[in-house]
Amino acid sequence: DAGITQSPRHKVTETGTPVTLRCHQTENHRYMYWYRQDPGHGLRLIHYSYGVKDTDKGEVSDGYSVSRSKTEDFLLTLESATSSQTSVYFCATQGGETQYFGPGTRLLVL
Amino acid sequence: GNSVTQMEGPVTLSEEAFLTINCTYTATGYPSLFWYVQYPGEGLQLLLKATKADDKGSNKGFEATYRKETTSFHLEKGSVQVSDSAVYFCALTITGGGNKLTFGTGTQLKVEL
């Protein structure tokens, strides 16, 4: 357990509304990641950060943005949610050779 | 590009049965290989890893050997328990690639009494 919390844990929203998911870590890890988990796809990387204000795109970044103003917080924003963004979102941090995962946020876009 | 292929699930076994979950990969560069486990309603946890060819990772009775010649990293356990019921993910990362993980699609294991 690398001290990763995600909020909210569950959210229902409507198409077209903005949504922000928060990841908070207490381990002072430099690297942080956002993944989405969908049936038949495993986990896919959305965005990652390699330091404060340093971020880069992952495999499925369209429709998502991120920000990292402090080492401990990594925010994922859906600027205008779509039904295809209904998923479970996981945050992770890198400690040594291991990625540690948060408990996930289940997002439903109606 | 990099990719990981896992056997389709779900896999249903009786308690104390032998488990194998197949995993093969394609990678540019020198991958490190991982097995992660996800219990119901939880995030992923690292189960075991191997960072170079012929390394064997092991944890909680699970084992996997990094086979470069067959590009495989099959997960095995000699005697499964009901508590092993979970989804298992094979993954790789490339040295110098920002630690980004590429995951397989996951294999659900259900162990029955």
Side-chain angles (χ1 to χ4, degrees):
Chain A
D1 184 1
I4 302 171
T5 57
Q6 293 185 231
S7 58
R9 293 293 313 280
H10 301 272
K11 186 169 182 67
V12 180
T13 191
E14 294 187 347
T15 297
T17 59
V19 177
T20 295
L21 308 183
R22 179 178 182 248
C23 177
H24 179 79
Q25 57 132 337
T26 59
E27 300 295 320
N28 203 36
H29 289 161
R30 177 185 171 195
Y31 281 81
M32 298 184 73
Y33 308 83
W34 276 107
Y35 294 90
R36 59 178 290 174
Q37 182 179 23
D38 304 289
H41 291 278
L43 275 78
R44 293 178 291 175
L45 182 65
I46 304 171
H47 281 280
Y48 68 103
S49 170
Y50 46 97
V52 173
K53 299 192 188 306
D54 291 324
T55 65
D56 205 350
K57 296 179 180 179
E59 178 187 358
V60 289
S61 59
D62 287 349
Y64 301 94
S65 62
V66 290
S67 66
R68 191 160 177 212
S69 58
K70 298 185 291 185
T71 298
E72 58 266 35
D73 291 326
F74 192 31
L75 304 182
L76 176 71
T77 298
L78 291 65
E79 301 290 347
S80 178
T82 68
S83 58
S84 65
Q85 293 175 312
T86 291
S87 188
V88 182
Y89 292 86
F90 287 99
C91 173
T93 69
Q94 186 81 23
E97 294 180 327
T98 302
Q99 278 195 21
Y100 299 93
F101 286 79
T105 294
R106 190 173 294 272
L107 176 67
L108 174 61
V109 183
L110 300 174
Chain B
N2 304 319
S3 67
V4 176
T5 302
Q6 289 182 237
M7 61 188 290
E8 293 272 337
V11 173
T12 302
L13 296 173
S14 298
E15 201 171 42
E16 299 184 2
F18 185 85
L19 169 71
T20 299
I21 300 178
N22 291 336
C23 171
T24 58
Y25 67 89
T26 58
T28 56
Y30 301 96
S32 295
L33 302 172
F34 305 83
W35 277 101
Y36 279 83
V37 59
Q38 183 180 33
Y39 298 103
E42 299 183 8
L44 279 70
Q45 304 172 26
L46 179 66
L47 180 60
L48 53 85
K49 65 183 179 186
T51 58
K52 61 182 187 296
D54 299 325
D55 271 1
K56 178 185 283 188
S58 61
N59 186 26
K60 300 181 181 179
F62 291 89
E63 293 184 339
T65 301
Y66 187 163
R67 301 286 189 199
K68 186 178 179 181
E69 63 275 14
T70 54
T71 62
S72 65
F73 193 55
H74 304 321
L75 182 68
E76 297 182 335
K77 187 176 185 182
S79 176
V80 294
Q81 306 300 311
V82 171
S83 57
D84 294 326
S85 298
V87 181
Y88 292 81
F89 292 92
C90 186
L92 68 82
T93 189
I94 300 297
T95 303
N99 302 308
K100 292 178 285 185
L101 282 168
T102 298
F103 284 90
T105 54
T107 303
Q108 184 173 5
L109 171 66
K110 182 177 181 181
V111 181
E112 300 175 333
L113 291 171

Coordinates of all heavy atoms in Angstrom, one line a residue, chain B residues 11-103:
Chain B
V11 N -11.3 -18.6 -16.0 CA -10.8 -19.9 -15.7 C -11.4 -20.4 -14.4 O -11.4 -19.6 -13.4 CB -9.3 -19.9 -15.6 CG1 -8.7 -21.2 -15.1 CG2 -8.6 -19.5 -16.9
T12 N -12.1 -21.5 -14.4 CA -12.7 -22.1 -13.2 C -12.0 -23.4 -12.8 O -11.8 -24.3 -13.6 CB -14.2 -22.4 -13.4 OG1 -14.8 -21.1 -13.8 CG2 -14.8 -22.9 -12.1
L13 N -11.5 -23.4 -11.6 CA -10.7 -24.6 -11.0 C -11.3 -25.0 -9.7 O -11.9 -24.2 -9.0 CB -9.3 -24.2 -10.9 CG -8.5 -23.9 -12.1 CD1 -7.1 -23.4 -11.8 CD2 -8.4 -25.1 -13.1
S14 N -11.1 -26.2 -9.4 CA -11.4 -26.7 -8.0 C -10.2 -26.4 -7.1 O -9.0 -26.3 -7.6 CB -11.6 -28.2 -8.1 OG -12.7 -28.5 -8.9
E15 N -10.5 -26.2 -5.9 CA -9.5 -26.0 -4.9 C -8.4 -27.1 -4.9 O -8.7 -28.2 -5.1 CB -10.0 -25.9 -3.5 CG -9.1 -25.1 -2.5 CD -9.8 -24.8 -1.2 OE1 -10.5 -25.7 -0.7 OE2 -9.7 -23.7 -0.7
E16 N -7.1 -26.7 -4.8 CA -6.0 -27.6 -4.9 C -5.6 -28.0 -6.3 O -4.6 -28.7 -6.4 CB -6.1 -28.8 -4.0 CG -6.3 -28.5 -2.5 CD -6.4 -29.7 -1.6 OE1 -6.3 -30.8 -2.1 OE2 -6.6 -29.5 -0.4
A17 N -6.3 -27.5 -7.3 CA -5.9 -27.8 -8.7 C -4.6 -27.0 -9.0 O -4.3 -25.9 -8.4 CB -7.0 -27.5 -9.6
F18 N -4.0 -27.4 -10.1 CA -2.8 -26.7 -10.7 C -3.3 -25.6 -11.6 O -4.2 -25.8 -12.4 CB -1.9 -27.6 -11.4 CG -0.6 -27.0 -11.9 CD1 0.5 -27.0 -11.1 CD2 -0.5 -26.5 -13.2 CE1 1.7 -26.4 -11.6 CE2 0.7 -26.0 -13.7 CZ 1.8 -25.9 -12.8
L19 N -2.6 -24.4 -11.5 CA -3.0 -23.3 -12.3 C -1.9 -22.9 -13.3 O -0.7 -22.8 -12.9 CB -3.3 -22.1 -11.4 CG -3.4 -20.7 -12.1 CD1 -4.8 -20.7 -12.9 CD2 -3.4 -19.6 -11.1
T20 N -2.3 -22.6 -14.5 CA -1.4 -22.0 -15.5 C -2.2 -20.9 -16.2 O -3.3 -21.2 -16.7 CB -0.9 -23.0 -16.5 OG1 -0.1 -24.0 -15.9 CG2 0.0 -22.2 -17.5
I21 N -1.7 -19.7 -16.2 CA -2.3 -18.6 -17.0 C -1.2 -18.2 -18.0 O -0.1 -17.7 -17.6 CB -2.8 -17.4 -16.2 CG1 -3.8 -17.9 -15.2 CG2 -3.3 -16.4 -17.1 CD1 -4.3 -16.7 -14.3
N22 N -1.5 -18.4 -19.3 CA -0.5 -18.1 -20.3 C -0.4 -16.6 -20.6 O -1.4 -15.9 -20.6 CB -0.8 -18.8 -21.6 CG -0.6 -20.3 -21.5 OD1 0.2 -20.7 -20.6 ND2 -1.3 -21.1 -22.3
C23 N 0.9 -16.1 -20.8 CA 1.1 -14.7 -21.2 C 2.3 -14.7 -22.2 O 3.3 -15.3 -21.9 CB 1.5 -13.9 -20.0 SG 2.1 -12.2 -20.3
T24 N 2.1 -14.0 -23.3 CA 3.1 -13.8 -24.3 C 3.2 -12.3 -24.6 O 2.2 -11.6 -24.4 CB 2.9 -14.6 -25.6 OG1 1.7 -14.3 -26.1 CG2 3.0 -16.1 -25.3
Y25 N 4.4 -11.9 -25.0 CA 4.5 -10.5 -25.2 C 5.3 -10.2 -26.5 O 6.0 -11.1 -27.1 CB 5.3 -9.8 -24.1 CG 6.7 -10.3 -23.9 CD1 7.8 -9.6 -24.6 CD2 7.0 -11.4 -23.2 CE1 9.1 -10.1 -24.5 CE2 8.3 -11.9 -23.0 CZ 9.3 -11.2 -23.7 OH 10.6 -11.6 -23.6
T26 N 5.2 -9.0 -27.0 CA 6.0 -8.4 -28.0 C 6.5 -7.1 -27.5 O 5.8 -6.3 -26.9 CB 5.3 -8.2 -29.4 OG1 4.2 -7.4 -29.2 CG2 4.9 -9.5 -30.0
A27 N 7.8 -6.8 -27.7 CA 8.4 -5.6 -27.2 C 9.5 -5.1 -28.0 O 10.3 -5.9 -28.5 CB 8.8 -5.9 -25.7
T28 N 9.6 -3.8 -28.1 CA 10.8 -3.2 -28.6 C 11.7 -2.8 -27.4 O 11.3 -2.1 -26.5 CB 10.4 -1.9 -29.4 OG1 9.7 -1.0 -28.6 CG2 9.6 -2.3 -30.6
G29 N 12.9 -3.2 -27.5 CA 13.8 -2.9 -26.3 C 13.8 -4.1 -25.3 O 13.5 -5.2 -25.7
Y30 N 14.2 -3.8 -24.1 CA 14.4 -4.9 -23.1 C 13.3 -4.7 -22.0 O 13.4 -3.9 -21.2 CB 15.8 -4.7 -22.5 CG 16.9 -4.8 -23.5 CD1 17.4 -3.7 -24.1 CD2 17.3 -6.1 -24.0 CE1 18.4 -3.8 -25.1 CE2 18.3 -6.2 -25.0 CZ 18.8 -5.1 -25.5 OH 19.8 -5.2 -26.5
P31 N 12.3 -5.6 -22.1 CA 11.2 -5.4 -21.1 C 11.5 -6.0 -19.8 O 12.2 -7.0 -19.6 CB 10.0 -6.2 -21.8 CG 10.7 -7.2 -22.6 CD 12.0 -6.6 -23.1
S32 N 10.8 -5.5 -18.8 CA 10.6 -6.1 -17.5 C 9.2 -6.6 -17.5 O 8.3 -6.0 -18.1 CB 10.9 -5.1 -16.3 OG 12.2 -4.7 -16.3
L33 N 9.0 -7.7 -16.8 CA 7.7 -8.4 -16.9 C 7.0 -8.5 -15.5 O 7.8 -8.7 -14.5 CB 7.8 -9.8 -17.5 CG 8.4 -9.8 -18.9 CD1 8.6 -11.2 -19.4 CD2 7.4 -9.1 -19.9
F34 N 5.7 -8.4 -15.5 CA 5.0 -8.3 -14.2 C 3.7 -9.1 -14.3 O 3.1 -9.2 -15.3 CB 4.6 -6.9 -13.9 CG 5.8 -5.9 -13.8 CD1 6.2 -5.3 -15.0 CD2 6.4 -5.6 -12.6 CE1 7.3 -4.4 -15.0 CE2 7.4 -4.7 -12.6 CZ 7.9 -4.1 -13.8
W35 N 3.3 -9.6 -13.1 CA 2.0 -10.1 -12.9 C 1.3 -9.3 -11.8 O 1.9 -9.2 -10.7 CB 1.9 -11.6 -12.5 CG 2.0 -12.5 -13.7 CD1 3.1 -13.2 -14.2 CD2 0.9 -12.8 -14.6 NE1 2.7 -13.9 -15.3 CE2 1.4 -13.7 -15.6 CE3 -0.4 -12.5 -14.7 CZ2 0.6 -14.2 -16.6 CZ3 -1.2 -13.0 -15.7 CH2 -0.7 -13.9 -16.7
Y36 N 0.2 -8.7 -12.1 CA -0.6 -8.0 -11.1 C -1.9 -8.8 -10.8 O -2.4 -9.5 -11.7 CB -1.0 -6.6 -11.6 CG 0.1 -5.6 -11.4 CD1 1.1 -5.5 -12.4 CD2 0.1 -4.7 -10.3 CE1 2.1 -4.5 -12.2 CE2 1.1 -3.7 -10.2 CZ 2.1 -3.7 -11.1 OH 3.1 -2.7 -11.0
V37 N -2.4 -8.6 -9.6 CA -3.7 -9.3 -9.3 C -4.7 -8.2 -8.8 O -4.3 -7.3 -8.1 CB -3.4 -10.4 -8.2 CG1 -2.8 -9.8 -6.9 CG2 -4.7 -11.1 -7.8
Q38 N -5.9 -8.4 -9.2 CA -7.0 -7.5 -8.7 C -8.1 -8.3 -8.1 O -8.8 -9.1 -8.7 CB -7.5 -6.7 -9.9 CG -8.6 -5.7 -9.6 CD -9.1 -5.0 -10.8 OE1 -9.2 -5.5 -11.9 NE2 -9.5 -3.7 -10.6
Y39 N -8.3 -8.1 -6.8 CA -9.4 -8.7 -6.1 C -10.6 -7.9 -6.2 O -10.5 -6.7 -6.5 CB -9.0 -8.9 -4.6 CG -7.8 -9.8 -4.4 CD1 -6.5 -9.3 -4.1 CD2 -7.9 -11.2 -4.5 CE1 -5.4 -10.1 -3.9 CE2 -6.8 -12.0 -4.4 CZ -5.6 -11.4 -4.1 OH -4.5 -12.2 -3.9
P40 N -11.8 -8.5 -6.1 CA -13.0 -7.8 -6.4 C -13.1 -6.5 -5.6 O -12.9 -6.4 -4.4 CB -14.1 -8.8 -5.9 CG -13.4 -10.1 -6.1 CD -12.0 -9.9 -5.7
G41 N -13.4 -5.4 -6.4 CA -13.7 -4.1 -5.8 C -12.4 -3.4 -5.4 O -12.5 -2.3 -4.8
E42 N -11.2 -3.9 -5.8 CA -10.0 -3.3 -5.3 C -9.1 -2.8 -6.5 O -9.4 -3.2 -7.7 CB -9.2 -4.2 -4.5 CG -9.9 -4.6 -3.2 CD -9.1 -5.5 -2.3 OE1 -7.9 -5.7 -2.6 OE2 -9.6 -6.1 -1.3
G43 N -8.1 -2.1 -6.2 CA -7.1 -1.8 -7.2 C -6.1 -2.9 -7.5 O -6.3 -4.0 -6.9
L44 N -5.2 -2.7 -8.4 CA -4.2 -3.8 -8.7 C -3.1 -3.8 -7.7 O -2.7 -2.8 -7.2 CB -3.6 -3.6 -10.1 CG -4.5 -4.0 -11.3 CD1 -5.7 -3.1 -11.5 CD2 -3.6 -4.0 -12.6
Q45 N -2.6 -5.1 -7.4 CA -1.5 -5.2 -6.6 C -0.4 -6.0 -7.3 O -0.7 -7.0 -8.0 CB -1.8 -6.0 -5.3 CG -3.0 -5.5 -4.5 CD -3.4 -6.5 -3.4 OE1 -2.5 -7.3 -2.9 NE2 -4.6 -6.4 -3.0
L46 N 0.8 -5.7 -7.2 CA 1.9 -6.4 -7.8 C 2.0 -7.8 -7.1 O 2.1 -7.9 -5.9 CB 3.2 -5.7 -7.6 CG 4.5 -6.4 -8.2 CD1 4.3 -6.5 -9.7 CD2 5.8 -5.8 -7.8
L47 N 2.0 -8.8 -8.0 CA 2.1 -10.2 -7.5 C 3.5 -10.7 -7.6 O 4.1 -11.2 -6.6 CB 1.2 -11.1 -8.3 CG 1.2 -12.6 -7.9 CD1 0.8 -12.8 -6.5 CD2 0.3 -13.4 -8.8
L48 N 4.2 -10.5 -8.7 CA 5.6 -10.9 -8.9 C 6.1 -10.2 -10.1 O 5.4 -9.7 -11.0 CB 5.7 -12.4 -9.0 CG 4.9 -13.2 -10.0 CD1 5.5 -13.2 -11.4 CD2 4.7 -14.6 -9.6
K49 N 7.4 -10.2 -10.3 CA 8.1 -9.6 -11.4 C 9.4 -10.3 -11.8 O 9.9 -11.0 -10.9 CB 8.3 -8.1 -11.1 CG 9.4 -7.9 -10.0 CD 9.5 -6.4 -9.7 CE 10.5 -6.2 -8.5 NZ 10.6 -4.8 -8.1
A50 N 9.8 -10.0 -13.0 CA 11.1 -10.5 -13.4 C 11.7 -9.5 -14.4 O 11.0 -8.9 -15.3 CB 11.0 -11.8 -14.1
T51 N 13.0 -9.1 -14.2 CA 13.5 -8.0 -15.0 C 14.5 -8.4 -16.1 O 14.9 -7.6 -16.9 CB 14.2 -7.0 -14.0 OG1 15.3 -7.8 -13.3 CG2 13.3 -6.4 -13.0
K52 N 14.9 -9.7 -16.1 CA 15.7 -10.1 -17.2 C 15.5 -11.6 -17.6 O 14.9 -12.3 -16.8 CB 17.2 -9.9 -16.9 CG 17.7 -10.6 -15.7 CD 19.2 -10.2 -15.5 CE 19.8 -11.1 -14.4 NZ 19.2 -10.9 -13.1
A53 N 15.9 -12.0 -18.7 CA 15.7 -13.3 -19.2 C 16.2 -14.4 -18.2 O 17.2 -14.2 -17.6 CB 16.4 -13.5 -20.6
D54 N 15.4 -15.4 -18.1 CA 15.6 -16.6 -17.2 C 15.3 -16.3 -15.7 O 15.4 -17.2 -14.9 CB 17.0 -17.2 -17.4 CG 17.2 -17.6 -18.8 OD1 16.2 -18.2 -19.4 OD2 18.3 -17.5 -19.3
D55 N 15.0 -15.0 -15.4 CA 14.7 -14.7 -14.0 C 13.3 -15.4 -13.7 O 12.4 -15.5 -14.5 CB 14.5 -13.2 -13.8 CG 15.8 -12.5 -13.4 OD1 16.8 -13.2 -13.3 OD2 15.7 -11.3 -13.2
K56 N 13.2 -15.9 -12.4 CA 11.9 -16.4 -12.0 C 11.4 -15.5 -10.9 O 12.1 -15.3 -9.9 CB 12.1 -17.8 -11.4 CG 10.8 -18.4 -10.9 CD 11.0 -19.8 -10.3 CE 11.2 -20.9 -11.3 NZ 11.2 -22.2 -10.7
G57 N 10.2 -15.0 -11.1 CA 9.5 -14.3 -10.0 C 8.6 -15.2 -9.2 O 8.1 -16.1 -9.8
S58 N 8.5 -14.9 -7.9 CA 7.7 -15.8 -7.1 C 7.1 -15.0 -5.9 O 7.8 -14.1 -5.4 CB 8.4 -17.0 -6.6 OG 9.5 -16.7 -5.8
N59 N 5.9 -15.4 -5.5 CA 5.3 -14.8 -4.4 C 4.0 -15.5 -4.1 O 3.2 -15.9 -5.0 CB 4.9 -13.3 -4.7 CG 4.4 -12.5 -3.5 OD1 4.7 -12.9 -2.4 ND2 3.6 -11.5 -3.8
K60 N 3.7 -15.8 -2.8 CA 2.5 -16.4 -2.3 C 2.2 -17.7 -3.0 O 1.1 -18.1 -3.3 CB 1.3 -15.5 -2.5 CG 1.4 -14.2 -1.8 CD 0.2 -13.3 -2.0 CE 0.3 -12.0 -1.3 NZ -0.9 -11.1 -1.5
G61 N 3.2 -18.5 -3.4 CA 3.1 -19.8 -4.1 C 2.9 -19.7 -5.6 O 2.9 -20.7 -6.3
F62 N 2.8 -18.4 -6.1 CA 2.8 -18.2 -7.6 C 4.2 -18.1 -8.1 O 5.1 -17.5 -7.4 CB 2.0 -16.9 -7.9 CG 0.5 -17.0 -7.6 CD1 0.0 -16.7 -6.4 CD2 -0.3 -17.4 -8.6 CE1 -1.3 -16.8 -6.2 CE2 -1.7 -17.5 -8.4 CZ -2.2 -17.2 -7.2
E63 N 4.4 -18.5 -9.3 CA 5.7 -18.4 -10.0 C 5.5 -18.1 -11.5 O 4.5 -18.4 -12.1 CB 6.5 -19.7 -9.9 CG 6.9 -20.2 -8.6 CD 7.8 -21.4 -8.6 OE1 7.7 -22.2 -9.6 OE2 8.5 -21.7 -7.7
A64 N 6.5 -17.4 -12.0 CA 6.6 -17.1 -13.5 C 8.0 -16.9 -13.9 O 8.8 -16.3 -13.2 CB 5.7 -15.9 -13.8
T65 N 8.4 -17.5 -15.0 CA 9.8 -17.4 -15.5 C 9.8 -16.7 -16.8 O 9.0 -16.9 -17.7 CB 10.3 -18.9 -15.7 OG1 10.3 -19.6 -14.5 CG2 11.8 -18.8 -16.2
Y66 N 10.7 -15.7 -16.9 CA 10.9 -14.9 -18.0 C 11.6 -15.7 -19.1 O 12.8 -15.9 -19.0 CB 11.7 -13.7 -17.6 CG 12.0 -12.5 -18.5 CD1 12.4 -11.3 -18.0 CD2 11.8 -12.7 -19.9 CE1 12.6 -10.2 -18.9 CE2 12.0 -11.6 -20.7 CZ 12.5 -10.4 -20.2 OH 12.7 -9.3 -21.1
R67 N 10.9 -16.0 -20.2 CA 11.5 -16.8 -21.3 C 11.6 -16.0 -22.5 O 10.6 -15.7 -23.2 CB 10.5 -18.0 -21.6 CG 10.3 -19.0 -20.4 CD 11.5 -19.8 -20.1 NE 11.2 -20.9 -19.1 CZ 12.1 -21.5 -18.4 NH1 13.4 -21.2 -18.6 NH2 11.7 -22.4 -17.6
K68 N 12.8 -15.5 -22.7 CA 13.1 -14.6 -23.9 C 12.9 -15.4 -25.2 O 12.4 -14.8 -26.2 CB 14.5 -14.0 -23.8 CG 14.8 -13.0 -24.8 CD 16.2 -12.4 -24.6 CE 16.5 -11.4 -25.7 NZ 17.9 -10.9 -25.5
E69 N 13.3 -16.7 -25.2 CA 13.3 -17.4 -26.5 C 11.8 -17.6 -27.0 O 11.6 -17.7 -28.2 CB 14.0 -18.7 -26.3 CG 13.4 -19.7 -25.3 CD 13.9 -19.5 -23.9 OE1 14.4 -18.4 -23.6 OE2 13.6 -20.4 -23.1
T70 N 10.9 -17.7 -26.0 CA 9.5 -17.9 -26.4 C 8.6 -16.7 -26.1 O 7.4 -16.7 -26.3 CB 8.9 -19.1 -25.7 OG1 9.0 -18.9 -24.3 CG2 9.5 -20.4 -26.1
T71 N 9.3 -15.6 -25.7 CA 8.6 -14.3 -25.3 C 7.4 -14.6 -24.5 O 6.3 -14.1 -24.8 CB 8.2 -13.5 -26.6 OG1 7.3 -14.1 -27.4 CG2 9.5 -13.1 -27.4
S72 N 7.6 -15.3 -23.4 CA 6.5 -15.7 -22.5 C 6.8 -15.5 -21.1 O 8.0 -15.4 -20.7 CB 6.2 -17.2 -22.7 OG 7.3 -18.0 -22.3
F73 N 5.8 -15.4 -20.3 CA 5.9 -15.2 -18.8 C 4.6 -15.8 -18.2 O 3.8 -15.1 -17.6 CB 6.0 -13.7 -18.6 CG 6.4 -13.3 -17.2 CD1 7.6 -13.8 -16.6 CD2 5.7 -12.4 -16.4 CE1 8.0 -13.5 -15.3 CE2 6.0 -12.1 -15.1 CZ 7.2 -12.6 -14.6
H74 N 4.5 -17.1 -18.3 CA 3.3 -17.8 -17.8 C 3.3 -17.9 -16.3 O 4.3 -18.2 -15.6 CB 3.3 -19.2 -18.4 CG 3.4 -19.3 -19.9 ND1 2.8 -18.4 -20.7 CD2 4.1 -20.2 -20.7 CE1 3.0 -18.7 -22.0 NE2 3.8 -19.8 -22.0
L75 N 2.1 -17.7 -15.7 CA 1.9 -17.7 -14.3 C 1.5 -19.1 -13.9 O 0.6 -19.7 -14.5 CB 0.8 -16.7 -13.9 CG 0.5 -16.6 -12.4 CD1 1.7 -16.0 -11.7 CD2 -0.7 -15.7 -12.2
E76 N 2.0 -19.6 -12.8 CA 1.7 -21.0 -12.3 C 1.6 -21.0 -10.8 O 2.2 -20.2 -10.1 CB 2.8 -22.0 -12.8 CG 2.9 -22.2 -14.2 CD 4.0 -23.2 -14.6 OE1 4.9 -23.4 -13.8 OE2 3.9 -23.8 -15.7
K77 N 0.7 -21.9 -10.4 CA 0.6 -22.2 -8.9 C 0.2 -23.6 -8.8 O -0.7 -24.1 -9.5 CB -0.4 -21.3 -8.2 CG -0.4 -21.4 -6.7 CD -1.3 -20.5 -6.0 CE -1.2 -20.6 -4.5 NZ -2.1 -19.8 -3.7
G78 N 0.9 -24.3 -7.9 CA 0.7 -25.7 -7.8 C -0.6 -26.1 -7.1 O -1.1 -27.2 -7.5
S79 N -1.2 -25.3 -6.3 CA -2.4 -25.7 -5.6 C -3.1 -24.4 -5.2 O -2.8 -23.7 -4.3 CB -2.0 -26.5 -4.3 OG -3.2 -26.8 -3.6
V80 N -4.2 -24.2 -6.0 CA -4.9 -22.9 -5.8 C -5.9 -23.0 -4.6 O -6.4 -24.1 -4.3 CB -5.7 -22.5 -7.1 CG1 -4.7 -22.1 -8.1 CG2 -6.7 -23.5 -7.5
Q81 N -6.2 -21.9 -4.1 CA -7.2 -21.8 -3.0 C -8.4 -20.9 -3.4 O -8.2 -20.1 -4.3 CB -6.5 -21.2 -1.7 CG -5.3 -22.0 -1.3 CD -5.6 -23.4 -1.0 OE1 -6.6 -23.7 -0.2 NE2 -4.8 -24.4 -1.5
V82 N -9.5 -21.0 -2.7 CA -10.6 -20.1 -3.0 C -10.2 -18.7 -2.9 O -10.7 -17.8 -3.7 CB -11.8 -20.4 -2.1 CG1 -12.9 -19.4 -2.2 CG2 -12.3 -21.8 -2.3
S83 N -9.3 -18.3 -2.0 CA -8.9 -17.0 -1.8 C -8.1 -16.4 -3.0 O -7.8 -15.2 -3.0 CB -8.1 -16.8 -0.5 OG -7.0 -17.7 -0.6
D84 N -7.7 -17.3 -3.9 CA -6.9 -16.8 -5.1 C -7.9 -16.3 -6.2 O -7.4 -15.9 -7.2 CB -6.1 -18.0 -5.7 CG -5.0 -18.4 -4.7 OD1 -4.4 -17.5 -4.1 OD2 -4.6 -19.6 -4.7
S85 N -9.1 -16.5 -6.0 CA -10.1 -16.0 -7.0 C -9.9 -14.5 -7.2 O -10.0 -13.7 -6.2 CB -11.5 -16.3 -6.5 OG -11.7 -17.7 -6.4
A86 N -9.6 -14.1 -8.4 CA -9.3 -12.7 -8.7 C -9.1 -12.6 -10.2 O -9.2 -13.5 -10.9 CB -8.0 -12.3 -8.0
V87 N -8.8 -11.4 -10.7 CA -8.4 -11.2 -12.0 C -6.9 -10.9 -12.1 O -6.3 -10.1 -11.3 CB -9.1 -9.9 -12.7 CG1 -8.7 -9.8 -14.1 CG2 -10.6 -10.1 -12.6
Y88 N -6.2 -11.6 -13.0 CA -4.7 -11.6 -13.1 C -4.3 -10.9 -14.4 O -4.8 -11.2 -15.4 CB -4.2 -13.0 -13.0 CG -4.4 -13.6 -11.6 CD1 -5.6 -14.2 -11.3 CD2 -3.4 -13.6 -10.7 CE1 -5.8 -14.7 -10.0 CE2 -3.6 -14.1 -9.4 CZ -4.8 -14.7 -9.1 OH -5.0 -15.2 -7.8
F89 N -3.4 -9.9 -14.2 CA -3.0 -9.1 -15.4 C -1.5 -9.3 -15.6 O -0.7 -9.2 -14.7 CB -3.2 -7.6 -15.2 CG -4.7 -7.2 -15.2 CD1 -5.4 -7.2 -14.0 CD2 -5.3 -6.9 -16.3 CE1 -6.7 -6.8 -14.0 CE2 -6.6 -6.5 -16.3 CZ -7.3 -6.5 -15.2
C90 N -1.1 -9.7 -16.8 CA 0.3 -9.7 -17.2 C 0.6 -8.3 -17.8 O -0.2 -7.7 -18.4 CB 0.5 -10.8 -18.3 SG 2.2 -11.1 -18.7
A91 N 1.8 -7.8 -17.5 CA 2.2 -6.5 -18.0 C 3.7 -6.4 -18.3 O 4.5 -7.2 -17.7 CB 1.8 -5.4 -17.0
L92 N 4.1 -5.4 -19.1 CA 5.5 -5.2 -19.3 C 5.8 -3.7 -19.3 O 4.9 -2.9 -19.5 CB 5.9 -5.8 -20.6 CG 5.4 -5.2 -22.0 CD1 6.2 -4.0 -22.4 CD2 5.5 -6.3 -23.1
T93 N 7.0 -3.4 -19.0 CA 7.5 -2.0 -19.1 C 8.9 -2.1 -19.8 O 9.6 -3.1 -19.6 CB 7.6 -1.3 -17.8 OG1 7.9 0.1 -18.0 CG2 8.6 -1.9 -16.9
I94 N 9.2 -1.1 -20.5 CA 10.5 -1.0 -21.2 C 11.5 -0.2 -20.5 O 11.1 1.0 -20.1 CB 10.3 -0.5 -22.7 CG1 9.3 -1.4 -23.5 CG2 11.7 -0.4 -23.4 CD1 9.8 -2.8 -23.6
T95 N 12.6 -0.6 -20.3 CA 13.7 0.1 -19.6 C 13.9 1.5 -20.3 O 14.1 1.5 -21.5 CB 15.0 -0.7 -19.5 OG1 14.7 -1.9 -18.9 CG2 16.0 0.1 -18.8
G96 N 13.8 2.6 -19.6 CA 14.0 3.9 -20.2 C 12.8 4.4 -20.8 O 12.8 5.4 -21.5
G97 N 11.6 3.8 -20.6 CA 10.4 4.2 -21.3 C 9.4 4.9 -20.4 O 8.2 4.8 -20.6
G98 N 10.0 5.6 -19.4 CA 9.1 6.3 -18.4 C 8.3 5.4 -17.5 O 7.3 5.9 -16.9
N99 N 8.7 4.2 -17.4 CA 8.0 3.2 -16.5 C 6.6 2.9 -16.9 O 5.8 2.4 -16.1 CB 8.0 3.7 -15.1 CG 9.4 3.9 -14.5 OD1 10.3 3.1 -14.6 ND2 9.7 5.1 -14.0
K100 N 6.2 3.3 -18.1 CA 4.8 3.0 -18.6 C 4.6 1.5 -18.7 O 5.3 0.8 -19.4 CB 4.6 3.8 -19.9 CG 4.6 5.3 -19.8 CD 4.4 5.9 -21.1 CE 5.6 5.8 -21.9 NZ 5.5 6.6 -23.2
L101 N 3.5 1.1 -18.1 CA 3.1 -0.3 -18.2 C 2.2 -0.6 -19.4 O 1.2 0.2 -19.6 CB 2.4 -0.8 -16.9 CG 3.3 -1.0 -15.7 CD1 2.4 -1.2 -14.5 CD2 4.1 -2.3 -15.9
T102 N 2.4 -1.7 -20.1 CA 1.5 -2.2 -21.1 C 0.9 -3.4 -20.5 O 1.6 -4.4 -20.2 CB 2.2 -2.5 -22.4 OG1 2.8 -1.2 -22.9 CG2 1.2 -3.0 -23.4
F103 N -0.5 -3.5 -20.4 CA -1.2 -4.6 -19.8 C -1.8 -5.5 -20.8 O -2.2 -5.1 -21.9 CB -2.3 -4.0 -18.9 CG -1.9 -3.5 -17.6 CD1 -1.6 -2.1 -17.5 CD2 -1.7 -4.2 -16.5 CE1 -1.2 -1.5 -16.3 CE2 -1.3 -3.7 -15.3 CZ -1.0 -2.3 -15.2

